[in-house]
Amino acid sequence: MKISVIATTHPNYIATKEELEIFSGHAAGVCYMAGSFSDLVQEPEEKTEKRIGLTKGNGHHSVFGHETINLYLEEIPKALAMVLNNEKEYTTSEKSARYTKMIMTDDEKKVYDKWCGIFESLIREKYQEKFPEFFSDNKIKKLAQENARYLISVFTPTSMIYSTSYRQLNVLYALFQKEIQRDNQNDFYNMLKPYMIEFCDLIRNTPYFDETLANVGRLRHLSLINPYKYEMQQIFSDTYQTSYKASFAMLAQAQRHRTISYNIQLPDVAEYYIPPIIKDNDDLIGQWLEDISKVKFPQGQLIRINECGSLDNFILKMYERRCSCAQLEINEQTTKTYQEYTTALTNNHHPRADEMKQFSKGARCTYPDFECTSKCMFADGIIEKRFI
């Protein structure tokens, strides 16, 4: 076997649409070539262009997915980033609301700063003296920001590098167009429509828009919002599906596991995530609910998340999310799903039930085959009894 590098992304070089299509035309020729790829590269350009036209015309668009386009998106609502990230074929690097301050109005910043102060005080009082190495002043500040960001709207602007294929960029355009034209009662998508329109206008103005590739057929639609009202059935075997209430902020974390599928259902009555560190303080709970309820679609609003995947990919998720450094909400939900999964496999005498039991002691640093390279020594986090 031989491996040859035939193309790479060249930083700061913007390829033309024609260059991308020539490569796609060569890729289409691989399916029928009598010789080698180098023969295709050397063929007359007219022959390649003819194949490009035929391939577009017959709907064999997968060959246009070989090329990657890197976009830098500025002032994009977090909610639109969630919609994009649910469509799977992408790589993203996004400004984090866990570790940085987002762009906010004066009123939003006032509430955000108020809760950053409250959380810093609570974390310092509860944990810094007991676990000084883990809870440095900077760590406490970041954890306070992580919890205060639940109060920020999912329509708060962010920035991100979003990389996808030439084909997928046009598929996204088509999916957005379908949603823009649809008349529905979904307040979330209705609020997003002006941004979808703007996104489509911007894509049309790039050199990479193609009417023929921007065609997804009648049955395909954006995957984030589940249009049905019923609750998903719980199934745990070699594949699984489960359903639970969690925040928009947790959804954004979960979407990073692209081998697992997610969609959401929006409740008729708004409910909100309450950070565990304030759950024993009725006064703070009252202030929290008063402040968060003033925000339209805050990141802390609870939604029903439907999760589908395989047993192996859920295990991979546990290796990422059951950790003292992971967001607490997704840590707790992953552990709850693990417990439900293990119980179901045991009750059904599944051959891998015993394998799952090796993850029962707590965070990933307790797993028999995991060696942590940055030990936290945070006992409450390791046994999954932390409040922050």
Side-chain angles (χ1 to χ4, degrees):
M1 185 173 74
K2 295 181 180 179
I3 295 178
S4 302
V5 177
I6 58 174
T8 62
T9 295
H10 185 170
N12 303 316
Y13 174 72
I14 301 174
T16 65
K17 179 180 178 181
E18 289 71 24
E19 287 175 307
L20 300 186
E21 295 206 333
I22 289 294
F23 187 81
S24 295
H26 292 155
V30 169
C31 303
Y32 311 101
M33 67 184 182
S36 66
F37 184 76
S38 61
D39 297 330
L40 293 169
V41 174
Q42 296 170 28
E43 72 182 4
E45 193 168 305
E46 297 78 21
K47 185 174 182 180
T48 306
E49 290 174 349
K50 182 179 179 181
R51 191 185 299 116
I52 292 167
L54 288 171
T55 307
K56 279 189 181 181
N58 65 23
H60 187 183
H61 294 169
S62 61
V63 296
F64 298 95
H66 287 292
E67 307 88 354
T68 297
I69 296 172
N70 313 115
L71 304 175
Y72 180 49
L73 305 175
E74 298 179 87
E75 298 181 17
I76 175 176
K78 176 68 176 174
L80 191 61
M82 291 180 185
V83 173
L84 288 172
N85 291 344
N86 219 59
E87 297 306 319
K88 297 296 186 184
E89 192 179 334
Y90 73 96
T91 299
T92 187
S93 297
E94 183 180 336
K95 179 179 170 71
S96 172
R98 290 183 76 193
Y99 305 120
T100 64
K101 289 189 176 182
M102 308 303 286
I103 300 171
M104 292 174 267
T105 66
D106 289 343
D107 288 342
E108 288 172 332
K109 188 175 185 304
K110 183 178 179 180
V111 175
Y112 176 86
D113 288 345
K114 162 192 166 182
W115 281 98
C116 276
I118 291 172
F119 287 127
E120 283 192 41
S121 177
L122 291 172
I123 298 166
R124 187 169 284 108
E125 179 182 341
K126 187 170 183 65
Y127 289 121
Q128 191 171 41
E129 184 176 344
K130 190 176 180 183
F131 303 104
E133 292 185 8
F134 187 70
F135 287 93
S136 64
D137 288 342
N138 187 58
K139 179 73 171 179
I140 290 171
K141 179 181 177 181
K142 297 303 181 186
L143 286 169
Q145 288 180 184
E146 177 178 318
N147 283 269
R149 60 82 184 263
Y150 280 110
L151 295 154
I152 301 173
S153 169
V154 292
F155 288 87
T156 298
T158 186
S159 56
M160 62 195 291
I161 295 176
Y162 187 84
S163 300
T164 192
S165 72
Y166 169 41
R167 179 198 186 193
Q168 180 68 5
L169 187 65
N170 285 282
V171 167
L172 289 170
Y173 176 93
L175 292 173
F176 279 20
Q177 284 294 316
K178 286 183 73 172
E179 189 57 45
I180 290 165
Q181 294 161 16
R182 191 153 65 108
D183 183 22
N184 63 47
Q185 302 302 312
N186 187 315
D187 288 345
F188 182 77
Y189 270 170
N190 284 338
M191 283 185 69
L192 269 178
K193 281 184 180 181
Y195 301 104
M196 291 184 180
I197 292 170
E198 184 179 2
F199 181 88
C200 287
D201 288 343
L202 293 170
I203 295 304
R204 282 193 75 99
N205 288 328
T206 71
Y208 308 111
F209 175 72
D210 188 275
E211 281 288 359
T212 307
L213 298 181
N215 183 356
V216 293
R218 182 174 58 86
L219 297 178
R220 192 167 171 186
H221 53 80
L222 290 171
S223 62
L224 182 61
I225 302 291
N226 186 324
Y228 304 107
K229 296 296 184 183
Y230 63 84
E231 187 172 322
M232 179 182 283
Q233 182 183 1
Q234 305 276 92
I235 299 172
F236 294 106
S237 186
D238 296 291
T239 59
Y240 76 100
Q241 61 181 40
T242 187
S243 181
Y244 47 82
K245 286 184 179 180
S247 71
F248 277 109
M250 201 208 86
L251 170 67
Q253 293 282 307
Q255 284 179 318
R256 298 180 185 182
H257 299 273
R258 276 163 278 180
T259 56
I260 297 173
S261 295
Y262 298 93
N263 64 63
I264 65 173
Q265 293 164 303
L266 298 170
D268 294 327
V269 179
E271 297 179 72
Y272 306 102
Y273 179 75
I274 299 174
I277 201 163
I278 69 169
K279 279 192 172 179
D280 292 331
N281 190 315
D282 290 340
D283 177 56
L284 288 179
I285 291 174
Q287 291 185 54
W288 177 263
L289 293 175
E290 181 181 358
D291 288 338
I292 200 169
S293 63
K294 294 175 182 176
V295 182
K296 184 72 170 178
F297 291 118
Q299 291 199 37
Q301 181 169 331
L302 296 180
I303 50 181
R304 179 156 293 280
I305 298 178
N306 301 311
E307 176 178 336
C308 303
S310 69
L311 173 55
D312 286 327
N313 287 329
F314 179 73
I315 290 173
L316 289 176
K317 181 179 179 178
M318 287 200 295
Y319 274 84
E320 291 293 323
R321 300 302 173 182
R322 294 183 68 189
C323 173
S324 298
C325 294
Q327 178 203 39
L328 177 57
E329 187 184 5
I330 197 170
N331 185 164
E332 291 184 328
Q333 181 56 54
T334 303
T335 297
K336 183 179 179 184
T337 301
Y338 159 73
Q339 292 166 345
E340 293 171 340
Y341 213 146
T342 303
T343 298
L345 294 183
T346 301
N347 291 343
N348 293 323
H349 306 289
H350 192 280
R352 295 182 68 181
D354 287 342
E355 176 188 344
M356 286 289 275
K357 291 175 183 176
Q358 68 181 322
F359 308 119
S360 64
K361 294 180 180 178
R364 64 183 182 177
C365 54
T366 67
Y367 299 175
D369 62 346
F370 184 85
E371 180 64 34
C372 184
T373 58
S374 182
K375 298 185 188 301
C376 66
M377 307 305 291
F378 177 30
D380 292 14
I382 294 170
I383 63 173
E384 297 185 319
K385 297 295 184 183
R386 61 186 169 112
F387 291 88
I388 194 65

